[in-house]
Amino acid sequence: MAKREKRKPPRKAPKSYVLDGPVRRRTSLRLEKAFEQAIREICASERISVAHFLGRIRAKSGAKGSFSSRIRCEVLNWYRTRAHGGKP
């Protein structure tokens, strides 16, 4: 019998982003396309730049975990709040 090869999911290509804050800086992130689109939708809705949105997440004190994970959680919380009529 032939051994079946396991296919690895395609890797997300890193994308470079600029973060707003006291010092503007660049960072590379690997995010799914759905999260990239969600970030753009959030920024358009709030009339802020992607750099400002990401800088705001980075600036939150006491945040733990990887930056990519914190972004995903922030996006999820934003949509959940909207789904519940603005109530967290």
Side-chain angles (χ1 to χ4, degrees), residues 1 4 7 17 21 24-25 32 34 47 52-53 57 61 71-72 74-75 78 82 85-87:
M1 270 200 197
R4 286 179 54 177
R7 286 190 189 182
Y17 292 91
R24 288 179 62 93
R25 57 180 265 180
E32 295 79 5
R47 294 188 171 112
H52 181 78
F53 178 74
I57 295 170
S61 59
I71 292 168
R72 289 181 184 95
E74 196 71 28
V75 168
W78 191 87
R82 291 195 53 146
K87 299 174 189 133

Side-chain angles (χ1 to χ4, degrees), residues 5-17:
E5 283 188 40
K6 271 191 170 180
R7 286 190 189 182
K8 291 184 180 180
R11 290 192 56 149
K12 298 174 283 280
K15 189 171 178 180
S16 182
Y17 292 91

Side-chain angles (χ1 to χ4, degrees), residues 12-15 17 28-36 39 54 67-69 71-72 75:
K12 298 174 283 280
K15 189 171 178 180
Y17 292 91
S28 292
L29 299 169
R30 292 180 189 266
L31 293 171
E32 295 79 5
K33 288 185 190 252
F35 280 98
E36 289 177 4
I39 290 168
L54 297 176
F67 188 45
S68 296
S69 293
I71 292 168
R72 289 181 184 95
V75 168

